[in-house]
Amino acid sequence: MVEQRFFDLELLKKPSLEKLAYFKGITVPHRNLKEVLNELKANILEPADTSVFFVFGVTGIGKSTLIKRLQKILLEDFLEDLLSNPGQIGVASVEASSPSQGKFNHSDYYIRALESLNEVLINYKVDYGIFETERSYDSKSIVPTVIKNTSTLRRAMEKVFINRQLRVFIVDEAQHLFATAGGHQLLNQMNWIKSIANFTKTIHILVGTYELLNCSTISGQIGRRSQDIHIARYHELLQEDVIEYSTVIQTLQRHLPLLEEPQLETQCEYLLQYSIGCVGMLKSWLVRALRISIEENATTLTLKHLKKAEFSASRRKQILEEAEAGEKRLQSDDKSDSAASLQRQQNTNPNLQSQGVGNRRPKRDLVGGN
C-alpha cells in the first residue's frame, strides 16, 4: 500500500536522477553486516593487543556499506570525546589505489591519507634537517627546504595521526597494498602497516577481497597482532539465509521510488541466486532495474526489468568462483588450525594419542599371587 512506503511521496514528482540518487543512498542493516559491525565495534572500544584487522569478502558483498556504517557507529560512540576536544579526529578512511607496474606507490598512499584527514599544504611538507658545513658555524638563518620524498610524507602522516588523536583508520580496497610480487615483499608491506599502527597507536582496519587471507599467516608476530573477520554471503540452501535475504528484498522494494511497490519477495530465489547471495550486488542490480523502469515510465518494477538489468552469466560465474574459492580456503585454514591444535595437545599429553584397535594401553602388570 502507498501509505507504507519508506520515502516521501513527493519524491515521485522529482526528476529521475533524484530518484536514482535516493535509492543509491539506501543501506539495509542485514544480519551478516550487523555481526561484522558488532565484532569490530567490540574490538575497537575494548582493544587488546590487536592493532590490525583484516575484513574480507567477495566483490559485491557490501564492503563500502560496511565502511560507511562503521564510521557512523564509531563517530556516535566517540561523540563525547570529540565535543570536548574539537581538534580530535576519531575515525578516517582512505581507498588504496591499485599499484602501477606491480609496485605500490607509498607516496601516493601518504598523500591520500593526509587528504582524508583534511591536512593542509600537503605538497609543502618540510624536512628541517640541520647539516654542518665545513665545521663552521655562522649567524645565517636555517632555511628549510621543501622535500617531497616518501620518508617526509610518512612522518607527516604519522604526526597527523598522533596529533589529531586518530583512533581508527580504515583502508578500502586494501588488497592493493599487498599486490606485489614475492613473499618477501608481502612481508615488508605487512611490517610497514604494523609499524604505522604501532607507532601511532591507531587501529587499522583493512577491508578488501579474499586476497587479504595471505597476510595474517606471513609471520607469527603479524598473526599475533592481527585478526581476520569474514563478511559472509547468503546461501540459497540455508533456510535461515533465504529468510534473511527475503527480508532485505522487502526492505529495498519499499524504498523504490515508483508509484506502485513491486512484489520482489516473490522472486527471492531468483534474486538470491543471481546476486550470488551478496546484498551489494543485489542493490546494484536493483539500481539498474529502477533506471530501466523509470526510462519506460513504468508504474512499478517488474520481472522484465530485472531480466534486462541482471548480471551476465560470465560475470556471475566469475564472481561465484571467486566466492567459493575464498570460502574453501577459509574452511581449509580453519581445519588446519584445528588439526594443528589437536596435534599440539597430543604431543603435550600422550594419553590423548590413539592406541589403535586391539592395542593395550601401557601399564605395569601384577607379578605373583595375592
Side-chain angles (χ1 to χ4, degrees):
M1 297 177 64
V2 173
E3 58 268 24
Q4 295 177 333
R5 308 301 288 278
F6 285 1
F7 58 88
D8 187 344
L9 295 181
E10 288 296 315
L11 181 62
L12 297 174
K13 303 175 184 178
K14 300 294 183 180
S16 59
L17 288 178
E18 288 191 35
K19 295 177 182 177
L20 288 169
Y22 163 78
F23 188 69
K24 286 180 180 178
I26 298 299
T27 60
V28 181
H30 52 91
R31 185 196 68 207
N32 290 355
L33 179 68
K34 290 177 183 177
E35 289 177 355
V36 174
L37 287 171
N38 289 338
E39 185 172 0
L40 284 169
K41 179 181 176 181
N43 281 283
I44 291 169
L45 297 182
E46 298 181 6
D49 286 340
T50 306
S51 57
V52 179
F53 292 88
F54 298 104
V55 182
F56 48 81
V58 71
T59 180
I61 197 66
K63 294 185 284 291
S64 297
T65 298
L66 171 75
I67 291 172
K68 290 178 183 177
R69 294 192 71 87
L70 179 61
Q71 287 183 286
K72 183 176 183 295
I73 290 171
L74 292 178
L75 287 174
E76 290 173 353
D77 282 292
F78 298 160
L79 184 59
E80 185 176 347
D81 291 339
L82 296 175
L83 289 176
S84 62
N85 182 8
Q88 181 181 358
I89 299 178
V91 57
S93 64
V94 70
E95 181 176 326
S97 60
S98 179
S100 176
Q101 298 179 347
K103 184 177 182 181
F104 184 74
N105 189 331
H106 291 82
S107 294
D108 178 71
Y109 176 82
Y110 298 139
I111 291 172
R112 289 175 185 270
L114 289 166
E115 288 175 342
S116 72
L117 294 161
N118 298 317
E119 180 68 357
V120 298
L121 302 175
I122 296 173
N123 291 326
Y124 295 90
K125 296 303 175 185
V126 171
D127 185 354
Y128 289 89
I130 302 176
F131 300 96
E132 183 179 333
T133 305
E134 296 181 356
R135 299 183 179 274
S136 62
Y137 301 89
D138 53 32
S139 60
K140 292 180 180 179
S141 61
I142 300 171
V143 180
T145 54
V146 177
I147 299 179
K148 298 181 182 179
N149 60 30
T150 302
S151 59
T152 302
L153 287 170
R154 171 172 174 168
R155 182 172 178 80
M157 185 193 72
E158 291 175 341
K159 285 295 185 183
V160 174
F161 277 26
I162 295 170
N163 294 335
R164 302 303 293 272
Q165 301 173 46
L166 183 67
R167 294 178 63 176
V168 180
F169 193 60
I170 306 170
V171 182
D172 194 11
E173 301 294 345
Q175 69 275 3
H176 293 158
L177 300 179
F178 310 101
T180 54
H184 184 66
Q185 288 298 319
L186 177 61
L187 177 60
N188 287 342
Q189 286 294 94
M190 196 57 240
N191 282 330
W192 164 67
I193 286 289
K194 181 176 66 67
S195 173
I196 294 173
N198 291 344
F199 184 77
T200 62
K201 301 297 186 289
T202 301
I203 293 174
H204 277 58
I205 300 176
L206 309 184
V207 184
T209 64
Y210 286 110
E211 294 174 53
L212 294 181
L213 281 168
N214 297 326
C215 302
S216 59
T217 58
I218 197 70
S219 77
Q221 185 183 44
I222 291 169
R224 184 178 68 86
R225 300 299 298 273
S226 64
Q227 181 176 332
D228 292 341
I229 299 179
H230 180 218
I231 313 174
R233 63 190 180 97
Y234 294 97
H235 294 265
E236 57 188 304
L237 298 180
L238 299 177
Q239 184 62 28
E240 61 271 24
D241 281 12
V242 175
I243 294 173
E244 182 68 19
Y245 214 72
S246 179
T247 302
V248 171
I249 292 170
Q250 292 178 53
T251 302
L252 287 172
Q253 74 182 25
R254 289 172 186 162
H255 281 286
L256 285 166
L258 296 166
L259 185 61
E260 300 177 15
E261 179 183 326
Q263 302 304 307
L264 300 180
E265 73 272 16
T266 61
Q267 303 295 333
C268 181
E269 183 179 352
Y270 163 57
L271 292 170
L272 175 56
Q273 181 181 1
Y274 275 52
S275 64
I276 323 297
C278 300
V279 175
M281 283 186 64
L282 172 66
K283 176 75 177 304
S284 299
W285 183 4
L286 292 181
V287 168
R288 294 197 303 275
L290 174 61
R291 178 180 55 78
I292 294 171
S293 65
I294 291 175
E295 289 174 351
E296 294 181 356
N297 293 318
T299 58
T300 190
L301 193 149
T302 66
L303 180 60
K304 179 187 69 173
H305 300 134
L306 291 173
K307 289 291 185 181
K308 286 184 178 180
E310 72 183 24
F311 293 93
S312 67
S314 60
R315 288 184 173 87
R316 296 197 309 271
K317 181 175 182 291
Q318 179 65 35
I319 295 171
L320 180 59
E321 288 177 351
E322 291 178 4
E324 290 177 340
E327 291 163 351
K328 184 177 181 180
R329 180 175 174 187
L330 197 59
Q331 292 174 358
S332 176
D333 289 347
D334 290 342
K335 290 178 180 178
S336 297
D337 289 342
S338 300
S341 176
L342 178 60
Q343 183 64 47
R344 285 194 296 270
Q345 293 179 41
Q346 291 177 343
N347 291 339
T348 304
N349 186 354
N351 291 330
L352 293 178
Q353 295 183 19
S354 174
Q355 299 300 315
V357 178
N359 292 333
R360 297 175 58 202
R361 186 179 298 276
K363 63 179 181 179
R364 180 181 295 275
D365 292 330
L366 293 175
V367 179
N370 293 330

